[in-house]
Amino acid sequence: MRILLLAHSFNSLVQRIHRELAARSHDLSVEFDIADAVTEEAVSLFRPHLVLAPYLKRAIPESVWSRVPCFIVHPGIPGDRGPSALDWAVQGVRDAWGVTVLQAEAEMDAGPVWASMRFPMRVARKASLYRSEVTEAAVAAVLVAVDRIQAGNFVPQRVAGAAHAPMRQADRAIDWQRMGAAAVLARIHAADGFPGVADMLFGEPCHLFDAWPEATLRGVPGELLARRETAICRATADGAVWIGHVRRSGGIKLPATLAFPESARLPEAPLASWWRQPEPGWQDIAYSEAEGVGFLAFEFYNGAMSTAQCNRLAAAFRWATARPTRVIVLQGGADFWSNGIHLNTIEAADSPSDESWANINAIDDLAEAILRCESQLTVAAVGGNAGAGGCFLARAADFVWVRDGVMLNPHYRNMGNLFGSEFWTYLLPPRVGSDGAAAIMRRRLPMTAPESVALGFYDACLPAPGFSVDVARRAAELANAGDFAGKLQVKGDKRAADEAVKPLAAYRAEELAEMRRNFYGFDPSYHVARYHFVARSPHSWTPRHLARHRDLDWRIPA
Ligand code: COA
């Protein structure tokens, strides 16, 4: 079928649906929902059999849904209608939730249902559920719905229901004197990544994000108790929670201690080591060991890695290489493995150019430490999405095992034509060929986990259920295999041979020369793109590599 994807942005859900439909040979184009007239124009240019809206913030105009069948992906169970569907489900602590694909009509979310899927709920942030359970259910429901409309013999049924109101800040408010930690976490989770919970810190209004439970610290409810790295701990009626990120009025989302320098006067509550703490608390880098394997997890909010985070992770990695293990598994975080340098902390710096330079050097130092590791075999276990430099940082490991369902964006140019570093010029061409590498960078399209393995970019795609158990088993097999010493020798020899042909320092210097131009040169594209990215500015046009119907030489197939 010829399917037009209409979306507020090309987010990970839209990307995943795009790749899944492409894999089934549907003819696809994308238009961002910018204005009704633009949508109408896209429909008349592309003449789709179906308009599919996986992520919309506004209604589709009648001029479109009355002419072409339009499927809406609603993050709610059949009968659930209206905005903030997932927010209400998370805050209301439901046992199960779901996704419904329904046909657009005049009344919002009230059209006939073409497919729906359910999933059990988990205590997690809204954005985490969205990127995991909601995405999986949405893909499954969309594929069923598309098959049904293509088959032509399915009669969709209406489901009775009532619309709920949009969730307002009054519904999200936290009463620190009365609410326990679980209720506070549910409120912040329901508003995370957007819009956050409106609150006050240090007497200033702000929005709270990125909440973690705390097991031991206690104090007067509402009082700020401590800081650890970039997070702040606050007492609830029955315990305490950590706040990792905040957005001050008129500002951007930032690590809490960076947004509030006043937090420097709070007592520090440092962790004694990199070892994973047995009790719940804020710990972004956590190390554990089993069967000769070291596991290094790094739970960085949104997968963004600031200069300080890269330096701390490099220190933890070097420490891990001195442990008596044979394999180190780099686990990343649950939702993201890495999205490269931290564009928000760069934006907030006095000199974004200098901070970009410091950040890219820090992530390169980390990549180089992984590449030069001679004492262990390294595995990147990519269980969460990865983008830009994060995809190549993973490739610095000897093996990359990726979870089925993960979305990858191994290219940089969407960020104002960034050249990119993280040794991608060393790591990518041998895997996919020079032409393949150039095509990946130029086309700027996302990749599914199976696509990354088919291309030879990553090594194995493992099933989503039981991913971490599977990774641990495979890593233990590697560590305890009879030929382990031989494998380590081959790795060392390969590195030495590569170094003799062209030193890592030369790749790094060439990439950084390009990056220096991006950061300090006369073309401000990177700074403009970064500003709009961190400000979450709505798109004003659809990039041409997505809106195929706007190619001058595109024609409706005969
Ligand atoms: N720095 C800071 N924040 C980042 C980030 C980065 N490198 N990458 C993603 N984020 C944030 C987004 O701002 C967004 O924040 P929100 O919680 O306020 O909504 C959140 O992570 C999720 O990003 P989003 O774009 O909605 O996720 P996605 O899964 O739909 O898209 C990417 C994934 C990777 C395509 C997209 O996030 C991206 O292009 N990131 C920038 C990558 C980059 O250019 N890095 C720098 C060069 S190494």
Side-chain angles (χ1 to χ4, degrees):
M1 294 182 85
R2 199 160 50 250
I3 303 176
L4 179 69
L5 295 181
L6 179 66
H8 177 72
S9 72
F10 200 46
N11 75 359
S12 53
L13 170 63
V14 186
Q15 294 184 0
R16 176 81 189 281
I17 287 176
H18 184 277
R19 298 318 299 154
E20 298 286 351
L21 291 172
R24 286 157 183 81
S25 303
H26 293 291
D27 189 11
L28 301 170
S29 193
V30 179
E31 188 70 61
F32 289 163
D33 178 34
I34 290 159
D36 290 353
V38 178
T39 307
E40 286 162 4
E41 185 184 53
V43 168
S44 40
L45 285 171
F46 194 53
R47 308 258 190 87
H49 302 116
L50 174 70
V51 172
L52 176 61
Y55 167 45
L56 270 193
K57 293 195 170 184
R58 311 176 323 130
I60 297 178
E62 183 174 356
S63 56
V64 171
W65 61 253
S66 58
R67 277 202 294 150
V68 187
C70 295
F71 284 178
I72 308 282
V73 178
H74 176 70
I77 50 178
D80 179 88
R81 293 179 194 171
S84 318
L86 205 46
D87 308 49
W88 287 113
V90 175
Q91 192 155 309
V93 196
R94 296 250 184 179
D95 291 341
W97 198 237
V99 171
T100 305
V101 176
L102 38 82
Q103 191 161 349
E105 281 188 348
E107 197 184 334
M108 197 173 178
D109 303 332
V113 171
W114 282 83
S116 67
M117 292 286 158
R118 280 192 173 246
F119 55 83
M121 278 292 251
R122 142 179 90 89
V123 177
R125 296 170 190 169
K126 176 179 65 169
S128 178
L129 290 161
Y130 184 83
R131 293 197 181 97
S132 178
E133 285 87 342
V134 170
T135 297
E136 293 304 327
V139 168
V142 161
L143 295 179
V144 170
V146 168
D147 282 352
R148 283 177 173 167
I149 196 166
Q150 199 169 13
N153 54 2
F154 180 78
V155 183
Q157 301 297 322
R158 282 168 204 285
V159 178
H164 44 63
M167 191 181 269
R168 295 152 307 147
Q169 281 298 339
D171 303 309
R172 303 184 190 271
I174 296 173
D175 181 344
W176 292 92
Q177 317 305 320
R178 294 213 174 85
M179 283 182 171
V184 171
L185 286 171
R187 295 225 156 181
I188 301 179
H189 283 348
D192 206 344
F194 181 84
V197 173
D199 207 317
M200 304 282 281
L201 284 176
F202 301 97
E204 295 287 330
C206 62
H207 287 72
L208 310 180
F209 304 87
D210 184 22
W212 301 51
E214 163 58 30
T216 52
L217 289 171
R218 294 291 176 264
V220 178
E223 194 176 297
L224 296 178
L225 303 177
R227 73 192 153 91
R228 178 178 298 156
E229 299 298 343
T230 50
I232 294 173
C233 186
R234 189 168 190 183
T236 61
D238 64 349
V241 297
W242 289 93
I243 309 294
H245 278 73
V246 299
R247 183 167 52 74
R248 293 181 70 159
S249 294
I252 57 173
K253 206 189 268 187
L254 287 174
T257 56
L258 182 63
F260 285 104
E262 305 88 314
S263 59
R265 59 173 192 258
L266 294 174
E268 234 180 302
L271 291 175
S273 73
W274 300 117
W275 287 94
R276 182 178 289 284
Q277 299 300 300
E279 300 283 334
W282 189 91
Q283 184 177 20
D284 59 347
I285 299 177
Y287 179 82
S288 56
E289 256 173 35
E291 297 185 64
V293 181
F295 295 89
L296 192 56
F298 37 101
E299 192 59 72
F300 297 147
Y301 188 68
N302 282 338
M305 297 172 75
S306 69
T307 307
Q309 285 166 319
C310 291
N311 290 339
R312 288 175 54 243
L313 186 54
F317 178 75
R318 289 200 187 93
W319 174 85
T321 60
R323 295 282 312 156
T325 55
R326 291 176 148 198
V327 173
I328 296 177
V329 176
L330 298 157
Q331 288 180 303
D335 293 342
F336 292 102
W337 197 86
S338 167
N339 278 329
I341 58 176
H342 199 314
L343 299 167
N344 290 46
T345 54
I346 289 170
E347 188 66 28
D350 290 340
S351 163
S353 299
D354 288 352
E355 185 50 32
S356 301
W357 184 251
N359 205 160
I360 200 71
N361 274 285
I363 203 167
D364 279 1
D365 288 345
L366 173 61
E368 199 166 332
I370 299 168
L371 281 166
R372 291 191 189 280
C373 171
E374 288 177 359
S375 41
Q376 280 94 353
L377 291 176
T378 53
V379 177
V382 183
N385 294 348
C391 294
F392 300 102
L393 185 65
R395 191 56 279 177
D398 302 318
F399 303 93
V400 186
W401 303 336
V402 58
R403 177 177 65 76
D404 197 11
V406 155
M407 281 313 305
L408 305 161
N409 280 276
H411 46 79
Y412 299 86
R413 281 176 55 180
N414 284 345
M415 198 52 64
N417 265 329
L418 264 192
F419 182 81
S421 191
E422 293 95 0
F423 298 94
W424 76 265
T425 55
Y426 169 59
L427 295 166
L428 188 58
R431 301 270 165 186
V432 300
S434 304
D435 291 349
I440 288 173
M441 291 292 166
R442 191 183 57 245
R443 283 209 305 263
R444 293 178 280 158
L445 283 177
M447 227 180 250
T448 59
E451 283 174 331
S452 74
V453 175
L455 272 172
F457 179 45
Y458 285 171
D459 304 304
C461 173
L462 307 183
F467 175 73
S468 19
V469 177
D470 214 4
V471 165
R473 184 185 50 75
R474 285 166 159 255
E477 276 169 17
L478 259 185
N480 299 305
D483 62 348
F484 173 79
K487 281 205 171 110
L488 202 59
Q489 182 73 44
V490 169
K491 158 181 163 158
D493 293 348
K494 161 111 182 20
R495 182 79 281 287
D498 285 357
E499 190 71 14
V501 174
K502 180 170 172 178
L504 280 183
Y507 287 99
R508 181 167 171 160
E510 285 167 12
E511 290 173 1
L512 289 181
E514 298 279 353
M515 291 298 257
R516 183 172 272 284
R517 262 192 289 280
N518 291 140
F519 299 157
Y520 294 101
F522 64 88
D523 176 358
S525 302
Y526 156 70
H527 298 290
V528 173
R530 188 193 63 240
Y531 168 80
H532 286 297
F533 182 80
V534 304
R536 312 306 283 157
S537 307
H539 296 284
S540 46
W541 54 284
T542 310
R544 285 294 154 90
H545 68 282
L546 299 176
R548 289 178 46 239
H549 52 280
R550 295 189 184 279
D551 280 354
L552 290 178
D553 54 358
W554 187 81
R555 300 273 175 278
I556 294 174

